[in-house]
Amino acid sequence: SQLSRGADLCGYASAENIRLEQTAGPVSSFFAGLRGRLRTGLYRAFPKNTAEFFIALFSGDDSGLPGEMARAFSALGISHVLCVSGLHISLLTAAVCGLCSRLLGRGKAAFLLAAAAAGGFVLFTGAESPAVRAYLMALFSLSARFFCRDYSPANSLGGAVLLICLADPRAALSNGFWMSALATAAIFS
């Protein structure tokens, strides 16, 4: 009821979370604030269950979904639409790339704008390893298209895995990271 009156408070944060937010870097803080503003705006615009659905759909945060809604998505086999995946990133990148190509022509400006939009989305959603892998693969695909090169999904996946492991060596120890990479390789093969 307070949100409908214009309050900016949308939840409780413990002291530990506040300290973590204060020690986060400026980029992480910026995108955390952006996610918070999106959450607040959705709560103001929609009923709670609908707002939680849109939050899960746009940011991948399904922690607020009511249990019955999460079970319904799981029973229908469509719970994957509520997490940020390669599909989200690929569709966003393709849509922005197509729009930029029509407006700016097929050149470096369109490539850079599409890459920046997809990168912003990955950062907005928390930059988890599978999302970063999908983003890097989309960048390899875009760069091949814009620079008139052949595109190899296997080389793209290998390059994305290599870059992620170089940037964060702990990713090589993550089962989720390898399951994502192996599932992508299985799709390509």
Side-chain angles (χ1 to χ4, degrees):
S1 65
Q2 293 301 315
L3 289 175
S4 65
R5 295 182 187 142
D8 284 332
L9 180 66
C10 65
Y12 169 78
S14 66
E16 295 83 20
N17 289 343
I18 292 171
R19 270 191 250 113
L20 286 174
E21 182 72 23
Q22 289 172 348
T23 60
V27 174
S28 298
S29 296
F30 172 76
F31 284 106
L34 195 60
R35 283 191 299 273
R37 287 190 294 279
L38 172 71
R39 179 180 294 274
T40 302
L42 288 172
Y43 277 128
R44 287 181 179 157
F46 298 104
K48 184 181 185 306
N49 287 349
T50 306
E52 289 295 346
F53 169 74
F54 283 126
I55 290 167
L57 189 65
F58 296 138
S59 70
D61 178 15
D62 62 353
S63 62
L65 280 179
E68 64 273 1
M69 188 182 292
R71 284 190 294 278
F73 274 95
S74 181
L76 291 171
I78 57 172
S79 58
H80 61 278
V81 301
L82 300 178
C83 65
V84 176
S85 65
L87 176 67
H88 288 87
I89 295 164
S90 299
L91 290 176
L92 175 73
T93 306
V96 172
C97 182
L99 180 67
C100 292
S101 294
R102 289 194 184 268
L103 295 175
L104 303 172
R106 202 178 135 179
K108 291 179 184 176
F111 167 73
L112 292 174
L113 194 56
F121 180 70
V122 169
L123 289 173
F124 173 76
T125 58
E128 298 291 328
S129 287
V132 173
R133 177 205 37 83
Y135 172 66
L136 290 172
M137 290 181 69
L139 280 184
F140 289 140
S141 173
L142 277 179
S143 63
R145 179 175 170 225
F146 280 104
F147 300 115
C148 301
R149 303 278 186 175
D150 290 334
Y151 174 70
S152 167
N155 288 344
S156 176
L157 177 61
V161 167
L162 178 68
L163 287 175
I164 290 172
C165 288
L166 286 174
D168 182 15
R170 291 176 295 160
L173 302 174
S174 168
N175 289 337
F177 172 71
W178 288 112
M179 289 299 293
S180 171
L182 291 173
T184 304
I187 290 170
F188 290 147
S189 65

